[in-house]
Structures are given as C-alpha cells and as structure tokens.
Amino acid sequence: MESFASHHGRPVPDALADEVRSGTQAHVLWKRLDVMPDDCWVHPLAEPLTPAELSSFGDFLRQIHAEAQEYDYKQAYPVTLGLNDECAGATSKFFCSELVAASLKAAGRLAGDLNASLVVPGDFSQEEFAPGVLGERWRLVQAGHPSLERLISDTRKDAEIEMLRAQVKELKHEIELLRE
C-alpha cells in the first residue's frame, strides 16, 4: 500500500494539485523543510541550467507530476545494495535519487546512457559520478530548525518596505520638480 508521506517528515499538500497525494509531488521548499526532522543537504549545480536545459528539465518534471508517478519502493531498497539490475531503466515509477538523475538527464546535464535507476543519493557526492556538474554540498537546514515561515514572511515584508521607500523617494523627487 502506498504511503501519502514520504520517508522524511509529515505529509504536505502538493503545491500544484493542492492536495495531499501519493506519487510525485511538487512542494514549496520552505513548507517541505519545515516538516523534515533531519538535516537537509544540497548539492547545487556547478553552473545554472541554460534556458534550453531549464525548459527540458521543467517539461520532464511536469510530465512526471501530471502522471502522478508513484514512489518506487521495489527499486529504492535493492539499489542501495547493488541488486537493482532487474528493474534498471523502468520509468513508470521513481525513487528520490532516480528522479533527480532522470531530471538532470532530461536537461542534458548527465550522460544520456546513464541508467538513472541505478543512481543512489551518495552518488551525487562523488566527483567521478558527474564531473563538473555539481558544486560542493552544503547544509540547507539543520534538524530542529525553527519554522522558516516567519523568515519568508519577514523577507517579503522587507522587500515590500523597500519598494514602498523607493516609491516615496520617487514621489518626493516629483514634488520637488513640480515646486521648481
């Protein structure tokens, strides 16, 4: 039976479908991070995706999301033990690192002959896995961090305040010009 929660944290409504659902999901990052009980590390791309790569990447992910492809437990556990050859290459379901690898393949950042079904999370830490593709990993959030919602809302408020200050400054300048 499929679980509506991933193996990290509590269920979070899908950002595009606006429902808690099984299978591939889109999330607002800070909301997902707020329910994760673990440290979260990222391996950023060494260079941003080009517009063409971003288009291919997005098209692939939108297709997978639209199909609500399920999490692939059958492949996820054996692959960590190197026992995944019989499932290799299947694209009807994905496990976490497989989806990341398949998405980067779709964007053209990973070799076309790479079997994404054999990629495990630790592969992304190995320079020889994808030379020059990924940057140094860094911790995005630490376990037990306070909610990011306040930070996000404060950042939005700060941006709004700066925008309003700029508008006031511009209006003051226009008033000065009218007085002349």
Side-chain angles (χ1 to χ4, degrees):
M1 179 172 170
E2 178 67 38
S3 166
F4 285 94
S6 79
H7 52 285
H8 294 286
R10 299 182 313 271
V12 174
D14 180 272
L16 302 178
D18 197 29
E19 64 184 2
V20 174
R21 70 180 208 167
S22 187
T24 50
Q25 302 170 22
H27 294 285
V28 175
L29 182 60
W30 70 266
K31 290 181 179 182
R32 187 71 189 131
L33 292 173
D34 270 359
V35 299
M36 290 185 68
D38 308 318
D39 287 359
C40 181
W41 294 81
V42 294
H43 295 270
L45 293 172
E47 297 293 327
L49 295 175
T50 66
E53 290 171 332
L54 187 58
S55 177
S56 297
F57 183 79
D59 290 346
F60 175 79
L61 289 174
R62 279 187 288 281
Q63 174 189 345
I64 298 304
H65 184 269
E67 295 169 3
Q69 296 205 3
E70 297 293 334
Y71 187 83
D72 197 345
Y73 293 99
K74 184 177 180 183
Q75 288 189 78
Y77 299 114
V79 74
T80 60
L81 303 171
L83 305 173
N84 215 29
D85 291 336
E86 69 277 0
C87 298
T91 57
S92 59
K93 295 180 178 184
F94 289 93
F95 57 92
C96 55
S97 53
E98 178 186 23
L99 180 59
V100 172
S103 301
L104 290 172
K105 272 182 60 174
R109 286 295 177 98
L110 294 180
D113 63 349
L114 173 74
N115 188 338
S117 296
L118 300 177
V119 175
V120 295
D123 290 339
F124 293 106
S125 298
Q126 309 300 317
E127 174 61 26
E128 62 273 6
F129 169 70
V133 174
L134 301 173
E136 290 295 318
R137 86 178 189 146
W138 48 275
R139 184 169 43 203
L140 184 59
V141 294
Q142 186 172 358
H145 68 278
S147 173
L148 299 172
E149 183 172 14
R150 177 70 185 257
L151 174 66
I152 299 300
S153 96
D154 287 352
T155 301
R156 285 186 186 147
K157 288 177 189 170
D158 290 346
E160 289 175 32
I161 289 169
E162 287 305 311
M163 181 185 69
L164 291 171
R165 283 183 180 152
Q167 288 175 351
V168 168
K169 185 176 178 181
E170 187 176 317
L171 289 171
K172 284 181 179 179
H173 179 70
E174 287 179 24
I175 290 170
E176 290 298 320
L177 290 175
L178 290 173
R179 288 183 178 166
E180 294 176 0

